[in-house]
Amino acid sequence: MATLLHIDSSVFPASASASRAVAETFRKAWEEQHPEGTVIYRDLASDPVPHITADAHTAGFADPSAHTPEQAAAFAERLKLIEEYERADALLIGAPMYNFTIPSTLKAWLDNVILMGRTAGENPSGKGTPVTVIASRGGSYAPGTPREGYEYVQNYLRAVMVDFLGLDLDFVVPELTMAPHSPAMTELVPLFESSRERAHEDAAARGKSLAEQLAA
């Protein structure tokens, strides 16, 4: 049976969050295709993980036998997240754009999980694991748009998840999510609606396809 690690980081509930809503579409498709599978769920908004500390960071580069009590305690918390990540056969991550980048809670999770010589480096423990990131954003930062240079979500996550963690990364990008709420973006509402519909379709197809592959 395959295990899906599902992480949400939006500060908004599903009714007001594009990343949560699209991630839920993926998850439902996954569960319908693979009902006997396991889903591990983390909501980083309601239950954030600790930001990395000096003890947690330095413990990752020291022999466990040499850990101070403070390092041992901090590293034990990191190991819980690392082992949970390593148990996953696939990852689903909601990563809305806040001020041009990912939520700090998701960055904290990544800082805990990234461990050179284990999850990151030459032979990362999660190498090849498929990860689907729902990268929602209020405007458009696609190539050729005026704000293309401000796109730090996909660029950052590609560097970390592909180059560091060796994951098989796929993005689903619902954009222009502020159009229904901003009078200045009213004319973009049809584009937002098309993007939302396409994102849900892509998420459903991706969830179903991955579940089929991993259940085979």
Side-chain angles (χ1 to χ4, degrees), residues 85 93 95 101-102 106 110 114 120 129 131-133 135 137 141-143 148 151-173:
Y85 161 81
I93 299 177
T101 189
I102 62 173
L106 181 55
L110 285 166
I114 295 170
T129 300
V131 53
T132 302
V133 173
R137 51 207 194 186
Y141 300 80
E148 176 184 357
E151 205 300 295
Y152 301 113
V153 171
Q154 288 175 271
N155 287 336
Y156 168 71
L157 291 178
R158 191 175 289 110
V160 169
M161 293 184 168
V162 177
D163 298 343
F164 257 28
L165 299 176
L167 301 174
D168 180 8
L169 175 61
D170 185 55
F171 285 107
V172 176
V173 186

Side-chain angles (χ1 to χ4, degrees), residues 46-178:
S46 63
D47 187 19
V49 302
H51 281 78
I52 201 79
T53 63
D55 287 326
H57 178 70
T58 56
F61 299 94
D63 188 316
S65 63
H67 284 175
T68 66
E70 293 78 14
Q71 285 178 316
F75 195 61
E77 294 304 308
R78 282 190 73 185
L79 279 178
K80 291 179 184 178
L81 298 172
I82 289 170
E83 291 169 354
E84 184 177 81
Y85 161 81
E86 291 176 332
R87 286 199 302 273
D89 298 293
L91 287 84
L92 169 63
I93 299 177
M97 177 185 281
Y98 292 161
N99 300 316
F100 305 125
T101 189
I102 62 173
S104 64
T105 51
L106 181 55
K107 179 63 162 58
W109 180 82
L110 285 166
D111 285 342
N112 277 278
V113 166
I114 295 170
L115 180 60
M116 295 302 296
R118 179 165 175 171
T119 62
E122 289 188 13
N123 190 29
S125 56
K127 185 176 181 178
T129 300
V131 53
T132 302
V133 173
I134 313 301
S136 59
R137 51 207 194 186
S140 180
Y141 300 80
T145 61
R147 290 199 167 188
E148 176 184 357
Y150 292 92
E151 205 300 295
Y152 301 113
V153 171
Q154 288 175 271
N155 287 336
Y156 168 71
L157 291 178
R158 191 175 289 110
V160 169
M161 293 184 168
V162 177
D163 298 343
F164 257 28
L165 299 176
L167 301 174
D168 180 8
L169 175 61
D170 185 55
F171 285 107
V172 176
V173 186
E175 62 178 12
L176 299 169
T177 62
M178 285 301 297

